Amino acid sequence: QSALTQPASVSGSPGQSITISCTGTSSDVGGYNYVSWYQQHPGKAPKLMIYDVSKRPSGVSNRISGSKSGNTASLTISGLQGEDEADYYCSSYTTSRTWLFGGGTKLTVV
Amino acid sequence: EVQLVQSGAEVKKPGESLKISCKGSGDNFINYWIAWVRQMPGKGLEWMGIISGDSDIRYSPSFQGQVTISVDKSIRTAYLRWSSLKASDTAMYYCARRISTAAYFDSWGQGTLVTVSS
C-alpha cells in the first residue's frame, strides 16, 4: 500500500482560495466515500477538518470544503486566513479494511 | 467531549522493549476503535494499525510484525508495544479514535515522543 499522493506545498494570499488534491486508486479514494482531511499545526496533534469526502465536523469553518472525483479527492479553503497556515493530510479507508494517509501538503499564507 | 491521554515521552536504547499507552475518557469505550499513527521527525502521518474495544486488530502491511497493538477495555486503555526498538523507531506516535460506524478519526491524543538512541 502506497501513501496517497498530495502536492508537497501550496500557497495563497489572504482572502484567496486554494485547493489541495489527494490522489489514490480504486482500492481506496475511488472505492469509497470515506476520505477525510486533517489539519496539523507545528507541534500539535492533527485535527479533523472534513470527513466522508465533504462533511464538516461541528466547529470547523464553512470556508473549508471537500469533494471527490474518481480516484482524486480535493480540499478547498476559501477566504484564506493566516490561521490556515498548517500541514494538511488526506486519509482514505481501503479495500484491505485499513487506512492510508497522504504525504501531506504544507500550506503557506503569503 | 472525548479525550485521549497518552503516556509520556520515552528515551530508549536500541534493542530495548517499550509499551506506550492511550487512555480514553467517557463511556462506551467498547464502541471505539483506537488507531496508532506514526510521525517521524519532519515527516508525514503514517497509519500503523487499529484495535477495537473487543480486540479486533488490523495492521498496516508496513507495520505488521514490527509492533503489537493491544487494549484493556476495563481501564479504557490501548497500547502500542515494541519488543526490540531500532533507531528508526524514533518518532512521535499519536493515538486517534474512530467510532465504530465511522471511517475517520475524530479525536486525537497529544502524542508520545519516542527517542531511540545509543
Side-chain angles (χ1 to χ4, degrees):
Chain A
Q1 290 183 323
S2 299
L4 307 174
T5 301
Q6 298 181 233
S9 63
V10 298
S11 63
S13 300
Q16 287 187 331
S17 295
I18 61 96
T19 296
I20 299 171
S21 61
C22 170
T23 301
T25 69
S26 58
S27 296
D28 37 71
V29 174
Y32 304 95
N33 287 324
Y34 290 150
V35 175
S36 51
W37 290 88
Y38 303 85
Q39 177 193 62
Q40 186 181 35
H41 285 111
K44 300 294 188 182
K47 174 188 174 184
L48 178 68
M49 304 299 280
I50 291 285
Y51 66 96
D52 294 352
V53 174
S54 60
K55 299 176 182 175
R56 272 189 313 274
S58 173
V60 171
S61 170
N62 60 9
R63 298 184 297 105
I64 310 287
S65 62
S67 63
K68 191 187 87 166
S69 177
N71 295 338
T72 298
S74 299
L75 177 76
T76 297
I77 305 176
S78 58
L80 270 178
Q81 300 178 1
E83 67 200 44
D84 298 326
E85 186 162 293
D87 293 326
Y88 291 84
Y89 295 90
C90 61
S91 177
S92 177
Y93 184 65
T94 80
T95 53
S96 299
R97 302 196 309 147
T98 60
W99 277 260
L100 280 175
F101 281 104
T105 299
K106 182 177 181 62
L107 169 60
T108 302
V109 180
V110 297
Chain B
E1 179 185 336
V2 171
Q3 277 196 316
L4 298 177
V5 179
Q6 298 186 230
S7 50
E10 302 273 1
V11 179
K12 291 289 191 178
K13 290 182 168 34
E16 291 186 331
S17 63
L18 175 64
K19 192 179 199 179
I20 62 175
S21 66
C22 170
K23 186 175 178 66
S25 64
D27 298 325
N28 300 318
F29 186 78
I30 191 71
N31 293 327
Y32 303 169
W33 293 64
I34 298 293
W36 288 97
V37 177
R38 183 175 79 174
Q39 188 166 38
M40 299 176 75
K43 302 298 183 183
L45 305 177
E46 299 174 89
W47 191 86
M48 301 175 71
I50 196 168
I51 188 165
S52 69
D54 56 2
S55 298
D56 184 1
I57 308 173
R58 306 172 198 171
Y59 291 98
S60 161
S62 300
F63 292 93
Q64 178 87 46
Q66 306 305 307
V67 296
T68 302
I69 295 171
S70 59
V71 68
D72 184 339
K73 62 184 179 183
S74 69
I75 55 172
R76 301 192 306 273
T77 300
Y79 302 96
L80 180 65
R81 187 177 72 86
W82 294 261
S83 59
S84 180
L85 286 160
K86 301 184 282 287
S88 57
D89 292 319
T90 294
M92 182 71 82
Y93 293 88
Y94 292 101
C95 63
R97 183 189 82 148
R98 168 209 177 202
I99 59 174
S100 59
T101 55
Y104 54 89
F105 306 104
D106 65 339
S107 182
W108 292 67
Q110 82 278 18
T112 296
L113 181 61
V114 173
T115 303
V116 183
S117 174
S118 54

